[in-house]
Amino acid sequence: MSEATVGVPAVDSSRRTWLITSAAMGGVGAAAVAVPFVSSFQPSERAKAAGAAVQVDISDVVPGGKKVVEWRGKPIWIMRRTPEELADLAKVEGDLADPQSERKAIPTPGYALNAHRSIKPEYFIAIGICTHLGCSPGDKFTPGPQPSLPDNWVGGYLCACHGSTFDLAGRVFKNKPAPDNLEIPPHYYVSETVVVIGEEKA
């Protein structure tokens, strides 16, 4: 008897083939299960589209008017302010909690760090969600005394949920529940009448 075979049971070739085939099939099966499982972590096309930038034609927004579009499931306000409404922004600065948008809880893009909080003074673009608890403020563009508004009201937005008020640049007034100004989404203009919301210019 040779030294190589002492105490070692013989394995026939058909059994070896069966073991290799079984192991290979097991590996293929594991891969077949793992691939769909791992790909389920990838965002769906619908989810990708929901986060994608949107291109908006603003040629139909009249002075004093507002258009609402959706980006990432949030309402985006596009308001075209009149020269009078722009002039009124300076009148309320003393009544605002953060007139220069210096608070960092909701950072304001550099191109909106100005009194009108916009790239083009005429157009105001903001996320229409109150910074307090997520309600959507309503339009209160008409100046003058009104319920839940001061007598010297010059126009802006009122959150009916808890009474926070914002001027026509989305800046919150003092002593209100909302801690910050309305958020300005990333955006840039591709022409005089088309704006891309959700991206900044490269």
Side-chain angles (χ1 to χ4, degrees):
M1 184 178 282
S2 71
E3 193 175 315
T5 59
V6 173
V8 178
V11 177
D12 62 33
S13 61
S14 63
R15 191 170 189 191
R16 180 174 293 146
T17 304
W18 181 83
L19 288 171
I20 293 170
T21 304
S22 297
M25 292 307 289
V28 169
V33 170
V35 167
F37 179 72
V38 171
S39 24
S40 71
F41 291 113
Q42 299 297 322
S44 67
E45 289 305 314
R46 185 174 178 184
K48 288 177 188 173
V54 293
Q55 188 167 295
V56 184
D57 181 355
I58 57 173
S59 61
D60 57 346
V61 185
V62 299
K66 187 175 101 172
K67 183 175 195 171
V68 180
V69 297
E70 186 177 325
W71 171 65
R72 291 188 174 177
K74 300 174 183 177
I76 303 298
W77 295 346
I78 303 169
M79 182 181 178
R80 188 173 177 185
R81 297 174 288 203
T82 64
E84 294 77 20
E85 288 170 334
L86 283 169
D88 285 340
L89 294 177
K91 295 178 183 177
V92 297
E93 283 197 357
D95 299 323
L96 302 173
D98 184 20
Q100 305 304 319
S101 300
E102 294 171 329
R103 294 181 181 172
K104 301 301 180 192
I106 299 178
T108 300
Y111 46 79
L113 286 172
N114 47 56
H116 41 83
R117 298 187 79 222
S118 59
I119 297 171
K120 297 182 178 188
E122 186 179 1
Y123 290 101
F124 173 58
I125 299 174
I127 297 175
I129 297 176
C130 182
T131 55
H132 180 219
L133 291 176
C135 298
S136 188
D139 302 339
K140 293 292 182 182
F141 299 156
T142 306
Q146 297 164 63
S148 303
L149 295 171
D151 291 345
N152 63 345
W153 184 251
V154 295
Y157 307 97
L158 167 67
C159 183
C161 290
H162 302 98
S164 294
T165 47
F166 303 86
D167 74 349
L168 289 175
R171 300 176 297 180
V172 68
F173 282 80
K174 291 177 181 174
N175 304 315
K176 298 294 178 178
D180 292 290
N181 297 336
L182 295 180
E183 185 176 355
I184 306 297
H187 65 280
Y188 68 94
Y189 291 86
V190 293
S191 73
E192 287 299 311
T193 58
V194 176
V195 62
V196 172
I197 296 166
E199 290 179 355
E200 295 186 343
K201 198 168 186 178

